[in-house]
Amino acid sequence: MKKTSTRLADGRELIYYDLRDDSVRDATDRRPLDRTVTTSEIRRDPLLGDAVAIASHRQGRTYHPPADECPLCPSEGERLSEIPDSSYDVVVFENRFPSLAGDSGRCEVVCFTSDHNASFADLTEEQAGLVLEAWTDRTSELSHLPAVEQVFCFENRGAEIGVTLGHPHGQIYAYPFTTPRTALMLRSAATHKEMTGGENLFDAVLERELAGERVVLEGEHWVAFVPYAAHWPYEVHLYPKRRVPDLLGLDEGARTEFPKVYLELLRRFDRIFGESEPPTPYIAAWHQAPFGALEEFDGVVREDFALHLELFTIRRTSGKLKFLAGSESGMNVFINDVPPERAAERLREVASS
């Protein structure tokens, strides 16, 4: 992998990740852009104890542009985009309309491929491996920023999810706090550790799932399963078999095997509802341990957390979506219409030949 860092016309950082070591990235951003001005602010909810990002400048962000005006495609002739070069393998750049900025953290865009009409599932194993390297590198770099406590790599795919740019891409949020969902996991891990005399909760969950009926696919280094209490109609958790707290901890065997396992998982997701259905909308979310202090989680250290990816779709059956209505949105109590065991069975049925 070759990494080349440069700057866009408004001062934002852009990084090329190339498969070839001899790639030259010297194109300049020719757009007449003013410096990006953000109004991101973090506010604490005194009742719930969580944080809300107030980012009014995002109201003017790019919204469903036509394909020939896509800002994530390479620049070509006088059609200038966020990527100055005429081609790329993987690109990461600071979001022009970030939810988090400055002392409130940082937001980045990850372009998986220059092919506008592709999806992550269309990548080769080599390309998917390069994306993993980019995620890992950005996790390392962002973790050293003074304002950052947790790094979150994710992909939203599909208009149903709320995606406003059709080009295959994901994002990275670098939060200045430990997110509420991660805090819940850490508290559960702390309680389990105390009650069992030191047993790791993530290890216990993985051991139970490996012995059960909800495993979807398994390799030497990774296992994917539908969790016992899945929140979403089709939800899969992907774990490395050797517990590590973040992407930086993966060994060479896990890094080598990941593209094959993950691409197969994404391709199965696209076959859940049949070939005649539109591509399955999904969210793919990496859960990594925070880089900040964990004193509030009694007895838990970073190494107790288990890196894993959660992949889920809001489509519950052909032509129907799972909406977060009263119970889910009002009380955070999910009601799942698809038994996890049936979801796992379906994901095994659609294995590629």
Side-chain angles (χ1 to χ4, degrees):
M1 178 193 79
K2 181 180 181 182
K3 176 183 175 182
T4 307
S5 180
T6 184
R7 293 280 172 180
L8 296 173
D10 55 7
R12 289 176 294 131
E13 185 177 18
L14 180 142
I15 306 163
Y16 294 97
Y17 293 89
D18 286 295
L19 291 168
R20 292 172 54 98
D21 290 335
D22 59 354
S23 297
V24 177
R25 300 298 183 185
D26 55 7
T28 59
D29 186 1
R30 295 181 285 130
R31 296 172 298 171
L33 298 180
D34 294 327
R35 282 272 175 178
T36 299
V37 177
T38 63
T39 56
S40 181
E41 175 189 359
I42 301 297
R43 296 186 182 181
R44 291 279 178 179
D45 185 317
L47 296 181
L48 299 179
D50 58 8
V52 177
I54 309 297
S56 60
H57 61 277
R58 284 176 53 79
Q59 285 282 37
R61 65 187 184 273
T62 308
Y63 188 80
H64 292 298
D68 60 357
E69 296 178 17
C70 175
L72 306 185
C73 287
S75 292
E76 184 176 356
E78 295 306 308
R79 191 188 67 77
L80 306 178
S81 73
E82 290 280 66
I83 296 90
D85 215 320
S86 59
S87 66
Y88 64 84
D89 291 337
V90 173
V91 165
V92 177
F93 60 87
E94 289 183 75
N95 198 321
R96 190 177 178 186
F97 303 96
S99 302
L100 309 165
D103 292 340
S104 297
R106 176 158 157 152
C107 291
E108 298 182 340
V109 177
V110 184
C111 298
F112 304 138
T113 171
S114 60
D115 185 351
H116 181 85
N117 297 312
S119 70
F120 200 117
D122 296 324
L123 301 182
T124 65
E125 290 184 20
E126 187 179 34
Q127 289 174 311
L130 183 61
V131 176
L132 177 62
E133 290 302 311
W135 283 331
T136 305
D137 181 70
R138 297 315 300 152
T139 296
S140 176
E141 293 290 328
L142 293 171
S143 71
H144 289 96
L145 296 180
V148 173
E149 189 166 310
Q150 185 172 357
V151 178
F152 175 46
C153 307
F154 65 100
E155 180 192 2
N156 298 327
R157 203 277 285 268
E160 299 94 331
I161 298 294
V163 175
T164 56
L165 296 176
H167 196 103
H169 73 288
Q171 299 180 66
I172 302 175
Y173 277 20
Y175 297 103
F177 50 79
T178 297
T179 62
R181 188 174 178 87
T182 302
L184 284 173
M185 293 184 199
L186 290 168
R187 292 190 187 101
S188 295
T191 300
H192 185 86
K193 190 174 185 178
E194 181 180 6
M195 292 180 63
T196 60
E199 183 181 63
N200 183 276
L201 175 59
F202 294 96
D203 290 351
V205 167
L206 189 56
E207 182 180 358
R208 182 179 70 174
E209 294 294 356
L210 278 166
E213 59 180 316
R214 290 180 297 275
V215 172
V216 173
L217 60 90
E218 182 179 357
E220 180 182 354
H221 301 278
W222 294 87
V223 60
F225 59 86
V226 177
Y228 170 74
H231 290 58
W232 299 93
Y234 291 90
E235 174 182 340
V236 176
H237 293 189
L238 178 63
Y239 276 69
K241 291 184 177 179
R242 183 180 69 87
R243 173 167 43 92
V244 294
D246 51 43
L247 289 165
L248 283 72
L250 293 174
D251 59 25
E252 191 59 34
R255 292 185 180 281
T256 300
E257 186 181 74
F258 171 78
K260 180 179 180 180
V261 173
Y262 188 48
L263 289 172
E264 171 62 17
L265 192 56
L266 292 180
R267 290 161 186 168
R268 291 192 193 190
F269 251 62
D270 273 344
R271 292 193 290 268
I272 293 174
F273 306 104
E275 298 293 338
S276 62
E277 286 289 315
T280 302
Y282 65 74
I283 293 174
W286 279 109
H287 292 263
Q288 306 192 79
F291 289 95
L294 302 180
E295 283 87 354
E296 63 180 293
F297 310 106
D298 295 338
V300 171
V301 296
R302 285 195 84 247
E303 288 68 27
D304 288 328
F305 193 87
L307 167 75
H308 62 284
L309 181 140
E310 298 184 7
L311 173 68
F312 60 90
T313 180
I314 62 171
R315 186 179 292 164
R316 58 186 175 88
T317 189
S318 296
K320 297 179 181 178
L321 302 180
K322 166 64 179 176
F323 292 101
L324 301 190
S327 185
E328 292 88 355
S329 295
M331 285 290 132
N332 200 28
V333 177
F334 276 67
I335 300 168
N336 190 351
D337 303 307
V338 181
E341 293 73 23
R342 174 55 191 147
E345 181 182 17
R346 177 57 181 161
L347 284 161
R348 289 193 297 267
E349 289 174 351
V350 295
S352 60
S353 57

